[in-house]
Amino acid sequence: MRAVVVDAFGGPEQVRVAEVELPRPAAGQVRVRVRAAGVNPVDGAVRAGVFGGAGQRIGLGWDVAGEIDEVGAGVDGWTPGRRVVGLHYGTVKPLGTHAEYAVLDASAVAAAPGSVDPAAAAALPLSGLTAARALALLGLAEGDSVLITGAAGSVGGIAVQLAARAGLVVTALAGEGDEALVRSLGAKEFVPRGSAPAAQVDGVLDAAVLGAAALGFVRDGGAYVGLIPGAAPGAERGVRVVEQEVAADGAELARLVALVDEGALTLRVARTFDLAEAAAAHAALAEPGTRGRVVLTVA
């Protein structure tokens, strides 16, 4: 099969499509015929060597939408032909989801949403699970205030929708041209990038990785959740500082899929590229102003 890999670290020019052996699912796993796969910032970080793995062939891709092709021993509830979405967790791995087939743990997949196409479905797993986990870790109650940085991005946009649905009073921090977008997603207040909110909030979900600046927006005794392990600022003023790390969770993903099919969660695709154009997709990932997920499609 064809799979997107890097053999050396660097820019998009290091991304190539290789012919590799077709993987087989082990016990407790499923093989998915990939139809679409999101290209995420973490893929760019892997390509650049942020997570190590020098000297190895590294496969790229975390998000997947497609249909089950084969099931491993001991897998119940999934059969070939079922349309699914899933998260292939892991930074340094020989194969990811940017391929014609991907093997995932059966516990990492959920039935695909029926209301959107595979490209949009592939924008859900990593961004959706990250946003949902970050909001849960904030531990806020209905009526509390939350500021979401990077609110126009893929993770931030989903977080705005989930927070508003949970009854939180959402302030969105994003670029000046994004106000209409983030308000349409459920934000009550808007703060242009580079500015501060009028008042401190109960919690901050720092999708833009502003660090100490975003911590300053939180009231004494509030909460701050960062999305990149090791990048959160030190705690101060009794603010609870948490670093979240996403996990493959099919049950939580199924909950998010249900919201998509209810029309309560909007997924955004910025651009699509054929698998053979993976290097161009990585170049697009770095373009400023991208709103929505860059997605690879597989015929």
Side-chain angles (χ1 to χ4, degrees), residues 174-191:
E176 290 188 3
D178 294 318
E179 181 172 2
L181 168 63
V182 296
R183 287 191 183 277
S184 74
L185 298 176
K188 182 176 180 181
E189 304 294 339
F190 173 74
V191 177

Side-chain angles (χ1 to χ4, degrees), residues 79-216:
T79 55
R82 289 285 303 279
R83 293 181 58 244
V84 295
V85 290
L87 180 69
H88 192 309
Y89 178 88
T91 51
V92 180
K93 53 197 178 187
L95 292 172
T97 61
H98 296 172
E100 292 179 311
Y101 294 86
V103 171
L104 292 80
D105 291 339
S107 61
V109 302
S115 57
V116 298
D117 64 17
L124 176 63
L126 181 57
S127 294
L129 290 171
T130 298
R133 180 171 172 79
L135 283 171
L137 288 171
L138 277 174
L140 300 178
E142 185 175 355
D144 285 346
S145 58
V146 62
L147 184 143
I148 297 171
T149 71
S154 293
V155 174
I158 290 178
V160 168
Q161 295 176 78
L162 295 178
R165 182 178 175 82
L168 302 180
V169 179
V170 180
T171 297
L173 190 152
E176 290 188 3
D178 294 318
E179 181 172 2
L181 168 63
V182 296
R183 287 191 183 277
S184 74
L185 298 176
K188 182 176 180 181
E189 304 294 339
F190 173 74
V191 177
R193 188 183 300 118
S195 302
Q200 290 184 316
V201 294
D202 296 310
V204 162
L205 192 163
D206 192 13
V209 199
L210 300 184
L215 184 68

